[in-house]
Each structure stands twice: as C-alpha cells, then as structure tokens.
Amino acid sequence: MLPNLSKLFEYVINTRLMSEVEGKGLLMDNQHGFRSGRSCTTAHAIFTNDLYRSLDKRNTIVIACFIDIKQAFNNILHCLLIEDLINIFNLNSNLILLIFSFLSDRQFVIKLGDYVSNSFFDNRGIGQGTVNGPALYILFFNQVATFLKDCKFLAFADDLVLYFEDSNLANARVKMQGTVSRLNS
C-alpha cells in the first residue's frame, strides 16, 4: 500500500492530468470508465438506446461483440504510453516528467510464506490499485478509436462492446470479423 502522502500526491497529479486532457477534448467520447460524469450506467443507457433505435428500423438486425481485454493494465509499455502523452495529448512537460517518474524503476518481489524473492524490475504495466493507473490506462486505450471507424462502440475501461446494424446477418458478421481482426493485429 502506498503511504497516505503519496496517495494524496497521486490525486493531485490525477486531477491535473484529467483536467488537462478533458479540457482539450482529446479523449474518445465512447469511453465511460474512470471519467467524471460517466459510468457503467451511462454506457449501458447509450447502448440500450442505440439498440432500440436500430431495432425500430424495418428489417434491421444488430450484431454485438463484447470484449474484455486480457491483462489490460499489466501489458501497457511505459515508453508507448509516454509517447502518446507527448504526441497525442501534448501534455505539459512537467506533468509528463512526473508520470514518467511514477512509472519508472518499478520493482516487485514475490512472497510465498516466509520466502521473499529478489527484486524484479518491471517496465510495463500500470498499477490498478493506484490512483493514476485507471486514468493512464484510458489515455493509452484511447488509440483504439482509430481502428473502429466503421462501427458503433462503447468502452468502459478495458471492456469494449462493438456493434453493427445491417439488414443482412451475413454482412453484419463480415463487418464484425473484419473489425475484430484489425483489433487483434
């Protein structure tokens, strides 16, 4: 557990980070996780509304794919995240240095009973139990929108729903398979 003072410092950084990013309007509108005024309920309401509107159309079907990204928080490369913060979000350099410091030189040990391993360094992943981890994750995940131009989608942190409407099930399936393939590559 982080000491209380460092958690307080993280809250200050997180407030500044999200204020700067939200103020620039650079986060995809489809992300409902870890954002002020958004929740699982808002994502569900939008999805349900879209679904009903589509199904109200004559001869229209909707196909959806629900995706949970495996080990999402653990697999983010720090260098790619920092690159996004600089190039995409154009954050203040002091804020980037603080975030880089937060991510750098992380170590962990394995404890099993009385046994404690040597330290291991980790250059990837963002702690889910940290204050800044969720915000940093959604900033990194923001790039997914570039792969999803041809479908409707909603995200809640590392959960994603893709959905297509079409009058033909085979067409909808082909579209979905193409989109999922792009995400896998």
Side-chain angles (χ1 to χ4, degrees):
M1 277 300 200
L2 290 174
N4 290 338
L5 186 57
S6 64
K7 281 236 188 230
L8 178 62
F9 188 61
E10 269 197 88
Y11 276 109
V12 170
I13 293 171
N14 193 58
T15 301
R16 171 79 188 276
L17 172 65
M18 292 310 290
S19 172
E20 196 166 325
V21 169
E22 293 280 10
K24 292 178 180 178
L26 296 174
L27 273 179
M28 64 179 175
D29 199 41
N30 310 61
Q31 178 61 264
H32 289 261
F34 310 118
R35 294 179 71 186
S36 180
R38 295 171 187 235
S39 65
C40 196
T41 303
T42 60
H44 182 261
I46 291 170
F47 178 70
T48 304
N49 188 49
D50 284 352
L51 186 62
Y52 284 135
R53 280 186 183 183
S54 294
L55 294 177
D56 280 345
K57 295 176 187 172
R58 194 176 169 116
N59 297 322
T60 300
I61 57 123
V62 177
I63 185 171
C65 179
F66 294 84
I67 300 169
D68 177 56
I69 299 168
K70 183 179 170 185
Q71 297 288 312
F73 282 75
N74 297 331
N75 288 315
I76 293 175
L77 292 173
H78 299 162
C79 58
L80 295 178
L81 173 61
I82 295 297
E83 189 176 295
D84 284 355
L85 297 179
I86 293 168
N87 297 329
I88 295 170
F89 296 102
N90 196 26
L91 294 179
N92 173 291
S93 59
N94 290 327
L95 185 56
I96 290 172
L97 288 172
L98 279 172
I99 293 168
F100 181 74
S101 175
F102 170 75
L103 295 172
S104 298
D105 298 324
R106 290 187 168 260
Q107 297 180 42
F108 67 95
V109 295
I110 298 171
K111 182 177 180 186
L112 186 59
D114 292 334
Y115 171 77
V116 179
S117 72
N118 292 328
S119 293
F120 295 93
F121 283 94
D122 194 9
N123 67 346
R124 64 174 33 203
I126 304 169
Q128 279 182 275
T130 64
V131 174
N132 289 320
L136 292 173
Y137 177 79
I138 66 169
L139 294 179
F140 185 78
F141 190 71
N142 199 59
Q143 290 282 62
V144 78
T146 61
F147 297 99
L148 302 175
K149 299 283 187 200
D150 59 344
C151 72
K152 291 183 179 180
F153 71 96
L154 291 166
F156 186 86
D158 63 341
D159 296 316
L160 182 64
V161 60
L162 314 173
Y163 50 109
F164 289 91
E165 69 175 51
D166 204 299
S167 59
N168 181 291
L169 179 60
N171 289 343
R173 242 193 263 164
V174 167
K175 290 176 188 176
M176 181 65 75
Q177 288 170 338
T179 299
V180 172
S181 292
R182 277 197 314 277
L183 286 175
N184 279 331
S185 60

